[in-house]
Structure formats: structure tokens, C-alpha cells
Amino acid sequence: MVGACSLAEVTLILSMLPRSLESCGHIRISTPVVRLGDPVVASCTISPNCSKLDQEPQILWRLENEPNQHGDRQRHLPDGTQESTITLAHLNYTQAFLSCLVPWADSFQILDQAELQAGYPPASPSNLSCLMYLTTNNLVCQWEPGPETHLPTNFILKSFRSRADCQYQKDSIFDCVPEERQSNCSIPRKQLILYQNMVIWVQAKNVLGTSESPKLCLDPMDVVKLEPPTLRAMDISPDMVPRLPGCLWLSWKPWEPSNFMEQECELRYQPELEGANWTLVSHLPSSKDQFKLCGLQRAPVYTLQMRCIRSPLPGLWSSWSPGLQLRPTIKAPIIRLDTWWQKKQLDPGTVGVQLFWKPTPLQEDSGQIQGYLLSWSSSDRHGQDTHLCNTTELSCTFCLPSEAQNVTLVAYNTGGTSLPTPVVFWENKGPAVTRLHAMAQDSDSIWVDWEAPSSLPQGYLIEWGLGPISNYSSKNWRMEPDGNITGILLEDNISPFQLYEITVAPLYPGTVGPSVKVYTYSGERALPHAPELHLKHIGRTWAQLDWVPETPWLGMIPLTHYTIFWTDAHNQSFSIILNISFHGFVLDHLQPASLYHVYLMATSRAGSTNSTGLTLMTMALETSELHIFLAILCILFLFISFCATAWFCCKYSRKNFFWPNVPDPAHSSLSSWVPTIMPEEIFQLPNFWDSGMPPITKITVLEEDKKPTHWDSSESFGTSSLPALVQAYVLQGDSRTISNQFQPHSGTGDQVLYGQVLGSPTSPDIVRYLSCDSTQPLLGAPTPSPKSYENAWFHSRPQETFVPQPPSQEDDCVFGPLFEFPLFQGLQVHGVEE
């Protein structure tokens, strides 16, 4: 196709050349077809009659799409022509075009072009074989042509008749030419002579050479390929089946055109079991009309095939016949049938029964079961059986009269029936098993154990099924004839991760004990997904979450706990573990207007499973609330600042102690009691009398309901600046003496003098005051005398304002003991005698 396209292009190019350049150039090639990789020599000559060309044009060469190149040499011949010669050292193209061209204007002009081909000579054909087909009476031969030559190669099947050992050629046979690209050819029957040798070979030829295959000497009848025979099952009498179980009975019929030939056949059979191999039976004569194949007990169905060959003359095996499937004859079942039932009273005269059974083979070759037959014999029908069920299943549901106590069950096949099994409907009597316990060994088995009842049973009946809601037909059961066992492993029909109901009942002679149930799971696995989280409510610093547990999975996979994880925007993680009774939780201490990622993890003994994530954002503070919060902070700050300032300013202005040191007058003397007076509390009183007058202490007693009188300007000036404590007791006398009265005295020998009150200013009588030399001031407030166990300051009355009275001569104090002064009663005053 490539060569054809290239040749068309060359033709088109040459047709477009100027008429004066058509005969200017000519290429000569040493050989147009060479062996692939061999050299090629070519020459190009330009006629001197080309007036359009220069006198000595430059000749160039081009091979396929390769760049232009100069020839080996270019010369001027005596007749005026120009010749260029080129040698291609290795031709690596199976097909290529070599062009001769000259420069023309701004391009190149092709003057002539030649096609080159390269390939290999044909190899000798191999594996020549021939078959004689009696259906077409043709001799078909086939061979292998060998490797590709890249050149057109012709194959011819040659043959001739020969004598004896094919050493002498007798008559030639017409050559057989196969179709294109075919490697087989057929010689018709009319050119053949049967039962006579002939020589056959294949010849391959192309432009580079010729080759032949090895010669084949044969008789056409020696290479006859027969068609396979036809297999069929043989009918046998029914009385032969019980006597010969496990046998196959078959016959075959040879291919009809080969009936005149003696043949030998092979039979192979294979049981329909996974991984089973073929079994071969050889040397079977084709004339045999029946065959018995016994000892087949592995499978209920077998596939059989057969092929044949000429015998004793040479020939070829036919193909295998189509498969024939046969069932071997079987023996009657030899089994034991274990039965169990459930009864239900339908009406006073009818009971419904659901019967279950299981076959147990008693021999290795116990016979195949094809069905079960359940019958009941009624006494009123004179022993005639009534068929209740004829089924291939392992259960049957039927109705019986209430007085019926038993039925009969048998298994059957084509070989006969098993021994009848009587089914007696027992009563539930006897003790039950105790301490029934079940647990999963793995996902496909459950171990069940119990404690034997007080009366040892003959065996046990174990039932199991999916959950308490499964119907009885879906349950499995097993009968254990050994009454000494106390445990069993259940492996039949156990699905992983399911809830099972298991029942155990003891079997006693002629009766069955009560059944006991237990529930267990056949395994545990992690939840496929945790409960989905839901946001119920959310606030500024809290979020309420809830979830709904998946009820079907909670019973199957007991959960141990939940774990809630949440992460804030700063990737800080928090978690909390909750009991499985929780179905919700409140996340608190959250930040307002913040983003949180929350997910729930459900954990069981089999593992943990996470829920899908929940993203939430807390609410932000409102503007009014923010203002209230800032106002409260400001007020609190101002209050703290005010308290601190007040405490700092008033720290030095406190004159008295909160807990003054007041001694008990009944147990101390005035000479030993000197109250502590701070230095700043000592002050000077004004001098109201002259220095010549004796010092007199003036004590003014005011009544509460008496209106105060105003002092004159001189007295207010002298006492208004004094403290209220001092204004209640104004001392008259020398300023030096007054100042000395407030100096602390040390030692018990100093004399302490007081005045004695002789009367009351409010009484009509004359009030007398006895003045005594004393340097100790009186108490600061008009309080009653304290008891021996009281502190006077705890009973202080509200502070009253005392207004000093004008001085009077009748208030002068005379020296003498002041025994009638209420505050000093009981005191021992030293130095009165002086």
C-alpha cells in the first residue's frame, strides 16, 4: 500500500514536469530486489538535449524521506551526457524509492525515480501433516510457512504417486495452490488412489530463492480421521438395580461411514465434583453394544465421553464425543433418622404436628436419599397406611386425630427404602437441665454447656435459631444420644454477629424433659457508625447536644461508654467520657462567638467507631450586655479606689484603740492603771483663773432633756476647738498644772487624786464637789461602771453633745475623799489621808 501510494505520487509529480524535462534523466539500478541489508548501486544520466538545464547541472540523490545527498562521483561522458553514480551500502528498507533530482529555481526537481525492495528468501516449510476426511473424501494437508520474508512468496503443495517405499516416482498429481495467506491445501478424492503410497511436499518460492519442506510418504487411508461415536444410556430391568448398586449402564454406536472399519475406542468419565479428574477406560471395541461401569459411589451424576481410531491398521484418533450425563444405580439408604416435633391442639379432635428429622449414615456407602415418605396407620382402616408427606425436605407439617400417638418415616431412592423409623409423640416429663450457659467461640460457632439433671437422661435435644422472633421452620436442631455429655459446640448454620436462641431438653425413655432457653451472640464487631450528633440548644458559653442510640446494634454489640471530643479554633482539644445511659450532654465553659468541632465516639469490646463531625458556633454578646458589663467593672473599680483612699487618709486620724485597755476596778488600784495616751493626744487647756487660785477640777453633769445653753464668746473661743471628750471635762487651774495632769506617770507610788460628787446640778439642793489633786483624767464617756467581766466599750451609749456650764463658786471642790462617786466605789484610793 505504501509503495502504491508512493508510485502514484511519483506519477503525479512526473506528469507535472515541463514537457522539455520528461526525457532529461534516467536511473539504472544494479538489481531492484536485494536481500535486506545488502548494498545497492545506482546511476543517473542526464541527456544533453535538456535545454532547460545548465551545461553541467549538479545531480543529487534522495532515498525515501532521507535528506538529499551527493553521489559517489559525477562525470561528463563523451556524448555530452552527465552521469552520477551512488552506492547504498546497506538497504534497511523492505520497500523504498530512490530519486534523482537537480536544483530548480529555489527548490529541487525530480528527474527520475526507481523502486527498491528488500527481504529474505523463503525458509523451508515445516510440520507438514495430512488427514483423510471420509465425510468429504479429501486429503487435507497443512504446514507451517516459516518466518516472514517481506516479499511476495508462493506456496505450492506438490505430490506424486510412488511404489513401495516412495523411492520411485510413478505419476504426478496436480499441484495444489492454497488461497492467499493460507497454509493448508486439499487434494480431491479423484486425484487419489486409496491404499497406495504417495509423496507429498510443500514448495515456497519468491524472487530471492526457492525452498521445499521435507517429503511425506503416506497412504491416504493411513491418515483417516474418524468422527466420534454416539453415546447413549442403556435401559436395564428394575430387578437388576438392587443387586448392582453404583453402576453405569451405557452403549455406543460408531460413526456410520466408518462401519466397514475395525475400530478401537476409549471411554473417559468424570464425577460432577469440584476438582475431580477424568478417568480413562481403554481398549473398548466399537462393536460392543452395551457396557457396564461399576464401583461409582463418589457422586450422583457422571459425565462420559468416547473417541475411536482404526485398529489394527494405522489411523488417527477421532475427537471426543459430546458429554453424556448418567446417574449410577444406587443401593437403598442405610441410615438412622433422628426426629423431633412440635404439637398444637387445633380443636378437641384434631392436633397439628410439625415434624423435623435428620439422616445419619450408618455406613460409608449408605446410599443416596432421593426423598422421604411419612405415613400413618389407622386402626379403623384395617392397617392401611395413609401417606402424610412425600418430600425431599427435612420437615413436614400435617394434622392427626387427637388419639394418634405415632407415625412412620422412611427414606427412599431408586434402590429401595431404608428401615422404617417409628415416631412416638412423647410427653414432657422428667427434670430439666440446670445452669444452661452459651458463649461464642468465634464468629461461626457457639459453645453450649449445662449441668445434667438429677436423673441421667438417655440423650439431649438441642435447638437453635436466630433470635426469639424467628419462626420454628428456620430453627436448627440436633439430637445427641449420649446422656453423659454436658456441653456441645454448635457449628451448623451459625452466622456471624447474630443473636441466637438456644434450647436444650433432656430425653428420657419414652418421654422428653422440659426445655430450657438461653440467648447469646455469635460474635461481636464494632458499630458500623456511631450515633449521629444533633445540636439541641446553644448559648454564648454552652451548647446542648443529644443523640439517639441505634437500638438494633445495642443488643448485638454491647457498648461500654461514649466519648465526646471537641476542638476550638486554636486546635485545643477537649474530651469527656460518658456512661452508655447518657443520650445527651451540655458543653460548658465555651468562648462566645467561637467555632467548635465536635464528634462522638462509641466504644464496645470490639472497638470504637466515630460519628460524623458536628461544627457549631457559640452566640456573641449583645451590645447592651457588653455596656452593662463594662459599667459594673467601672463601678467596682471606683468603689475599690474610694475605699483605698479613705483607708489611707483616715489611718493617722484614729485616736483611740478599738479595744481599749480598761482594767477591772475591783481587782486593781488606780495607782497601777495608767492608760496609754498617744503623744499627739496631749493638748493644752486654756487658763480660766489666775495663777494664785488653787487648781479646781470642774465636772459638769448634763441631763438629756435639758436644752443646752450657749457659752459666751470668750468661753466658746477657749473650748470650741477641743475634742468632744475633753469638752465634757474642763479643768480649771494653772496651765502648767493642767498640762502636767496628762503626762503619764510611772511606778505605783505616784498619787492619783479624784474629786467627789456631792450633789446633782438638777436637784434643788446645793451640789458640792470636793476637789482632789489628781493628774489622771476621767473616762471619756458617761457610761455606767463595768462589771468585773465586762468591757465598758461594748455598752457605750450613743454619743451625746455636752454643753459646758458657766463656772460657779458653789462648784468649788474641797479636799477630801470622794467615796460617794459611783465610778470609784469599791476602789482603794491611796494617799487620801494627806
Side-chain angles (χ1 to χ4, degrees):
M1 180 64 70
V2 176
C5 295
S6 300
L7 185 60
E9 293 176 0
V10 171
T11 304
L12 180 62
I13 293 174
L14 293 177
S15 63
M16 297 175 64
L17 292 175
R19 300 299 298 175
S20 58
L21 296 179
E22 289 181 359
S23 59
C24 286
H26 179 68
I27 294 179
R28 293 192 302 273
I29 302 176
S30 58
T31 174
V33 180
V34 297
R35 197 180 187 95
L36 190 63
D38 287 354
V40 175
V41 178
S43 64
C44 178
T45 59
I46 299 178
S47 173
N49 299 327
C50 295
S51 58
K52 298 295 183 180
L53 299 178
D54 298 337
Q55 292 295 328
E56 294 185 2
Q58 184 181 8
I59 303 175
L60 300 176
W61 297 88
R62 180 188 297 170
L63 179 64
E64 273 302 300
N65 296 322
E66 294 181 4
N68 298 336
Q69 57 180 325
H70 297 279
D72 298 336
R73 65 175 182 172
Q74 182 174 344
R75 62 180 179 170
H76 184 77
L77 298 179
D79 58 354
T81 62
Q82 296 287 333
E83 182 184 46
S84 175
T85 306
I86 188 173
T87 301
L88 303 176
H90 303 284
L91 182 59
N92 295 325
Y93 294 94
T94 59
Q95 186 177 15
F97 285 93
L98 182 63
S99 304
C100 173
L101 58 150
V102 293
W104 183 266
D106 295 334
S107 182
F108 297 93
Q109 179 65 55
I110 297 177
L111 300 180
D112 196 8
Q113 195 173 42
E115 183 179 4
L116 301 177
Q117 288 184 333
Y120 299 102
S124 298
S126 59
N127 294 334
L128 175 63
S129 62
C130 299
L131 295 176
M132 183 67 186
Y133 290 94
L134 297 182
T135 54
T136 59
N137 283 328
N138 291 336
L139 182 65
V140 180
C141 299
Q142 61 182 5
W143 60 89
E144 291 182 6
E148 178 65 36
T149 62
H150 304 292
L151 295 173
T153 303
N154 298 323
F155 292 90
I156 302 174
L157 180 65
K158 292 181 173 295
S159 60
F160 61 87
R161 298 183 185 94
S162 178
R163 298 177 183 177
D165 55 356
C166 299
Q167 294 295 326
Y168 301 98
Q169 181 177 353
K170 184 178 180 181
D171 295 324
S172 296
I173 301 176
F174 182 75
D175 293 340
C176 179
V177 179
E179 296 180 3
E180 186 178 359
R181 296 185 178 278
Q182 296 294 323
S183 58
N184 59 76
C185 198
S186 178
I187 302 176
R189 169 69 179 83
K190 63 182 180 179
Q191 297 185 16
L192 299 176
I193 299 179
L194 302 181
Y195 303 104
Q196 184 176 351
N197 289 339
M198 60 183 300
V199 179
I200 302 175
W201 75 96
V202 179
Q203 183 186 71
K205 183 178 181 181
N206 62 17
V207 295
L208 294 181
T210 303
S211 64
E212 294 180 349
S213 69
K215 290 181 173 57
L216 183 64
C217 180
L218 55 86
D219 180 354
M221 293 304 294
D222 292 343
V223 292
V224 170
K225 183 177 178 63
L226 303 176
E227 292 297 322
T230 303
L231 285 176
R232 59 188 177 184
M234 188 179 66
D235 296 332
I236 58 175
S237 60
D239 59 343
M240 297 180 62
V241 175
R243 293 185 287 108
L244 295 173
C247 293
L248 290 174
W249 301 83
L250 71 154
S251 63
W252 57 84
K253 182 180 180 181
W255 179 48
E256 187 173 356
S258 64
N259 283 336
F260 64 94
M261 299 180 183
E262 294 185 6
Q263 302 177 33
E264 181 181 324
C265 301
E266 288 182 345
L267 176 69
R268 67 178 184 179
Y269 60 91
Q270 181 186 38
E272 287 192 353
L273 297 175
E274 185 178 357
N277 299 320
W278 291 96
T279 303
L280 185 66
V281 180
S282 302
H283 309 295
L284 298 177
S286 61
S287 60
K288 196 175 183 68
D289 57 352
Q290 65 179 10
F291 182 73
K292 179 182 65 175
L293 186 63
C294 294
L296 306 178
Q297 301 293 340
R298 296 179 56 192
V301 179
Y302 283 80
T303 301
L304 299 94
Q305 289 180 327
M306 181 174 278
R307 67 177 182 176
C308 297
I309 191 174
R310 286 182 70 203
S311 180
L313 298 178
L316 298 176
W317 283 104
S318 67
S319 302
W320 289 103
S321 66
L324 173 66
Q325 291 186 339
L326 293 179
R327 293 180 179 272
T329 58
I330 54 179
K331 64 175 64 175
I334 305 176
I335 58 173
R336 183 187 79 242
L337 291 172
D338 297 330
T339 60
W340 180 242
W341 66 92
Q342 292 288 329
K343 295 175 62 176
K344 183 178 181 181
Q345 194 73 34
L346 301 180
D347 53 58
T350 308
V351 62
V353 181
Q354 189 174 17
L355 182 66
F356 304 90
W357 58 85
K358 280 187 178 181
T360 302
L362 299 179
Q363 295 180 2
E364 183 179 356
D365 180 18
S366 61
Q368 181 186 0
I369 300 174
Q370 295 180 346
Y372 300 92
L373 182 61
L374 183 67
S375 59
W376 172 59
S377 178
S378 176
S379 58
D380 58 354
R381 295 189 179 184
H382 306 287
Q384 185 179 0
D385 292 341
T386 301
H387 297 308
L388 300 176
C389 288
N390 187 359
T391 179
T392 58
E393 302 294 332
L394 296 178
S395 64
C396 178
T397 302
F398 53 92
C399 295
L400 285 177
S402 298
E403 64 272 9
Q405 295 296 324
N406 61 343
V407 294
T408 302
L409 178 66
V410 295
Y412 65 88
N413 58 19
T414 56
T417 61
S418 65
L419 295 176
T421 301
V423 181
V424 180
F425 303 123
W426 300 331
E427 297 180 1
N428 291 333
K429 293 181 180 179
V433 298
T434 57
R435 298 185 179 180
L436 181 61
H437 174 261
M439 65 178 296
Q441 291 288 97
D442 50 40
S443 59
D444 299 319
S445 62
I446 298 177
W447 171 257
V448 184
D449 57 73
W450 59 86
E451 186 175 311
S454 57
S455 297
L456 188 63
Q458 290 182 339
Y460 295 95
L461 179 72
I462 300 97
E463 294 178 299
W464 66 95
L466 286 174
I469 60 175
S470 62
N471 53 6
Y472 199 87
S473 60
S474 64
K475 287 191 175 183
N476 304 274
W477 63 279
R478 177 175 175 179
M479 187 174 290
E480 288 296 328
D482 187 4
N484 294 319
I485 66 172
T486 57
I488 189 173
L489 183 64
L490 304 180
E491 297 179 295
D492 297 335
N493 298 327
I494 300 295
S495 300
F497 316 116
Q498 299 293 333
L499 176 65
Y500 279 87
E501 178 188 68
I502 303 172
T503 304
V504 178
L507 302 176
Y508 300 100
T511 185
V512 60
S515 59
V516 181
K517 295 181 181 180
V518 68
Y519 295 93
T520 188
Y521 294 91
S522 57
E524 295 180 355
R525 60 179 173 180
L527 285 173
H529 51 79
E532 185 177 357
L533 276 175
H534 299 281
L535 179 62
K536 191 173 184 180
H537 300 290
I538 191 169
R540 297 173 182 83
T541 59
W542 58 272
Q544 184 178 1
L545 309 174
D546 62 355
W547 58 89
V548 178
E550 297 189 10
T551 305
W553 288 98
L554 291 179
M556 186 180 303
I557 308 154
L559 296 176
T560 56
H561 60 272
Y562 294 109
T563 306
I564 297 181
F565 298 89
W566 68 95
T567 306
D568 58 12
H570 303 290
N571 290 330
Q572 292 184 351
S573 299
F574 309 91
S575 63
I576 187 170
I577 299 177
L578 303 176
N579 193 283
I580 58 173
S581 60
F582 281 81
H583 297 164
F585 188 73
V586 177
L587 303 179
D588 51 7
H589 303 294
L590 305 180
Q591 297 296 327
S594 298
L595 191 67
Y596 289 89
H597 300 280
V598 188
Y599 64 92
L600 177 70
M601 182 175 71
T603 304
S604 64
R605 292 188 299 269
S608 301
T609 307
N610 292 339
S611 67
T612 56
L614 177 64
T615 302
L616 54 90
M617 176 173 284
T618 55
M619 301 177 65
L621 290 175
E622 297 181 359
T623 306
S624 59
E625 295 178 348
L626 184 62
H627 291 168
I628 294 174
F629 180 73
L630 294 177
I632 292 174
L633 288 180
C634 294
I635 293 173
L636 183 61
F637 177 75
L638 292 176
F639 177 75
I640 294 174
S641 302
F642 176 76
C643 293
T645 305
W647 180 84
F648 182 79
C649 294
C650 299
K651 180 175 65 173
Y652 298 102
S653 63
R654 293 191 302 268
K655 303 303 180 178
N656 297 317
F657 294 99
F658 288 105
W659 301 93
N661 186 13
V662 179
D664 187 1
H667 297 83
S668 62
S669 61
L670 293 178
S671 61
S672 62
W673 174 56
V674 180
T676 305
I677 299 177
M678 302 302 293
E680 58 269 19
E681 294 179 350
I682 301 175
F683 53 88
Q684 299 293 332
L685 295 178
N687 189 5
F688 294 98
W689 291 280
D690 55 6
S691 60
M693 295 180 64
I696 298 175
T697 299
K698 180 180 180 181
I699 299 178
T700 304
V701 180
L702 302 178
E703 294 182 359
E704 295 179 358
D705 54 353
K706 184 179 180 179
K707 294 183 180 180
T709 57
H710 298 282
W711 288 10
D712 54 13
S713 61
S714 62
E715 291 178 346
S716 296
F717 178 80
T719 61
S720 61
S721 61
L722 297 178
L725 181 63
V726 181
Q727 291 179 8
Y729 306 93
V730 180
L731 304 180
Q732 295 182 2
D734 187 70
S735 60
R736 291 171 296 182
T737 305
I738 295 175
S739 62
N740 292 334
Q741 292 176 359
F742 292 92
Q743 299 297 330
H745 300 276
S746 62
T748 57
D750 297 336
Q751 191 175 23
V752 181
L753 302 179
Y754 284 87
Q756 184 178 13
V757 181
L758 302 181
S760 175
T762 59
S763 62
D765 300 333
I766 299 175
V767 180
R768 297 293 182 180
Y769 299 92
L770 297 179
S771 177
C772 300
D773 294 334
S774 175
T775 60
Q776 178 66 38
L778 297 177
L779 296 179
T783 59
S785 299
K787 293 182 174 61
S788 61
Y789 54 87
E790 292 180 337
N791 193 325
W793 293 100
F794 285 113
H795 303 277
S796 60
R797 293 184 298 179
Q799 188 71 25
E800 297 180 0
T801 304
F802 294 92
V803 180
Q805 297 294 331
S808 175
Q809 294 295 332
E810 295 179 355
D811 295 337
D812 295 339
C813 180
V814 293
F815 293 99
L818 305 180
F819 294 107
E820 290 82 2
F821 193 77
L823 192 61
F824 296 102
Q825 292 182 4
L827 296 180
Q828 183 180 358
V829 181
H830 298 278
V832 177
E833 295 81 7
E834 299 177 357

